[in-house]
Amino acid sequence: MRRSTLQASLAISLSVLAGAGQAAYPERPVTLQVGFAAGGPTDALARLIATEIGAELKQSVVVENKPGAGSNIAAAQVARARPDGYTLLMVAVTSAINQTLYDKPGFNLNTDFAPIGLVGKIPSVLVVNPELPVHSVQELVAHAKANPGTLTFASSGNGTSIHIAGEMFKRAAGIDVTHVPYRGSAPAGVAVMAGQVSYMFDNVPTVWPFVQTDRMRPLAVTTRERVASAPQLPTMAESGFADFDVSSWYGLIAPANTPPEVIRTLDQALQKVLARGDFQERMKGMGIILQPGTPESFGAFMKAEVAHWAPIVKASGAKNE
C-alpha cells in the first residue's frame, strides 16, 4: 500500500515538473514584421491587428518595420526565423507577385511559411485627373485611342499590384499609354491630382478623401462585385473588362514548422478579433473587407494567388532583380 502511494506521488511530481517546463504560449512579446515603411496601409493594418491580437493573447505584439526589396527583406528574414511563434509576418499580395517579379525573392511563399489566417482585402479603384474629359472607363479607352502615346498612368512602384493593374488594363484595352512609377502611392496620387499623369489604380481608402473633394474622379472598382463603400461605382467587368479582379490582401504567416498548437492559438485569437462587431465596423470604415477563415484555407488562397499573378506579371514585362 505504501509502495503504491509513493509511486503515485512520484508520478504526480514528475507530471508537475514536466508541465512546469512547458510554458504556455506566448510567454513573452511576439514580433510582427512588416515589409513596408511605417505609415502605409500595410503598416497601419498591422498595428491594429497587433493591438487586438495582443489583447486576446494577453501578451504584447510588437510591430517591426523592415522595408526593402518590395517587402522581400522582411519575408526572407521571417522565413529563416526560429519557428516558435515569436516572429510573424504581415504578408500582403506583394509577396505573391514577387515570386514571379524577382528572379531570387529570397523565400518561397508556398513552402517557407505556416499560414495563420487571411485578415482581409482592400478593393482598388481606377481614378483620373478631373480635368481629363472622361467620365467612364469606356470614355477613357476611347480618349486614349484617339490620342495615342499622350496619356500616362502612375503607380506606387515597379511590380506593385497598382502597377500590374495598370499594365493589365493597358493590354486588355489595347491602348498606348506610358507607365510612370513613384516611390509610394502618396506621391503617385499627388501627381494624378496635379495633372502630371492621367490616371492610376489605387486602394479605395487611400484615394477616397480626394475623390470626395473632387480632386480625383473615380471610374470603376477592380473587384468582381461593387464595394459597399462606393456602391455607385461600376466594376471593371461591368465596364467591358471581364475577369478584371485586382485587390490588395493581407494576412498573418509564421515560419514553416511552427508547432500546430501555436498556429492554432494565433488563429483562434485572430478569428475572435475578426468576429467582433466593433472591429468589423472599424475595418468597414477603412474600406477593408474582412475574410475570416482557417489556416488551411489561407494556405490554399496564397498558392492560388502565386499561380494567378505569375502569368500576369510575365505578360506585363515587369521585372526586378
Side-chain angles (χ1 to χ4, degrees):
M1 179 76 175
R2 177 174 177 149
R3 185 175 180 181
S4 297
T5 303
L6 287 172
Q7 287 176 334
S9 298
L10 180 60
I12 293 172
S13 298
L14 290 173
S15 175
V16 170
L17 287 172
Q22 296 175 354
Y25 171 86
E27 60 176 337
R28 63 178 189 272
V30 175
T31 297
L32 177 58
Q33 288 202 15
V34 176
F36 301 94
T42 309
D43 173 73
L45 182 57
R47 291 180 186 278
L48 282 173
I49 290 294
T51 299
E52 300 297 338
I53 287 184
E56 292 291 338
L57 296 173
K58 296 180 173 55
Q59 186 59 263
S60 298
V61 178
V62 181
V63 173
E64 187 176 88
N65 298 91
K66 290 289 183 71
S71 78
N72 286 351
I73 290 176
Q77 286 188 357
V78 174
R80 295 192 299 268
R82 179 176 295 178
D84 55 10
Y86 289 98
T87 305
L88 311 177
L89 178 70
M90 189 72 177
V91 65
V93 62
T94 311
S95 290
I97 293 173
N98 287 353
Q99 293 293 280
T100 304
L101 183 68
Y102 287 80
D103 288 330
K104 297 179 180 179
F107 63 94
N108 186 310
L109 189 62
N110 292 335
T111 61
D112 290 344
F113 300 97
I116 298 169
L118 179 62
V119 174
K121 298 180 180 180
I122 299 182
S124 292
V125 58
L126 170 57
V127 292
V128 300
N129 176 276
E131 298 299 318
L132 204 65
V134 300
H135 292 80
S136 69
V137 176
Q138 296 92 333
E139 289 182 3
L140 176 60
V141 173
H143 185 73
K145 288 184 175 180
N147 301 275
T150 61
L151 298 190
T152 54
F153 75 93
S155 81
S156 54
N158 284 314
T160 60
S161 59
I162 294 173
H163 170 212
I164 301 302
E167 295 291 353
M168 287 171 61
F169 176 54
K170 174 182 174 180
R171 289 178 62 87
I175 54 178
D176 178 13
V177 295
T178 302
H179 171 226
V180 183
Y182 290 84
R183 292 187 175 182
S185 61
V190 170
V192 172
M193 290 186 286
Q196 296 168 352
V197 289
S198 311
Y199 65 89
M200 71 179 294
F201 290 86
D202 203 353
N203 295 335
V204 172
T206 303
V207 301
W208 213 245
F210 308 114
V211 168
Q212 292 176 319
T213 53
D214 297 325
R215 286 180 283 177
M216 291 181 177
R217 178 181 299 135
L219 301 185
V221 292
T222 62
T223 44
R224 294 187 186 279
E225 299 177 351
R226 296 194 181 199
V227 300
S229 56
Q232 75 280 14
L233 283 182
T235 65
M236 290 293 291
E238 290 175 319
S239 303
F241 293 86
D243 299 324
F244 197 105
D245 185 15
V246 179
S247 298
S248 295
W249 55 260
Y250 306 90
L252 296 180
I253 56 178
N257 301 315
T258 297
E261 60 271 20
V262 171
I263 296 297
R264 184 165 55 250
T265 297
L266 289 165
D267 172 53
Q268 289 173 348
L270 175 62
Q271 298 311 316
K272 286 180 181 178
V273 171
L274 298 184
R276 286 206 335 256
D278 61 325
F279 186 78
Q280 292 173 357
E281 285 300 314
R282 191 170 185 180
M283 293 298 98
K284 183 178 179 181
M286 294 175 63
I288 297 173
I289 303 170
L290 297 180
Q291 302 280 315
T294 65
E296 293 76 19
S297 65
F298 184 37
F301 172 82
M302 287 193 294
K303 287 181 180 179
E305 280 291 285
V306 171
H308 168 73
W309 285 105
I312 295 173
V313 172
K314 289 176 182 177
S316 75
K319 200 70 180 173
N320 281 335
E321 300 299 329

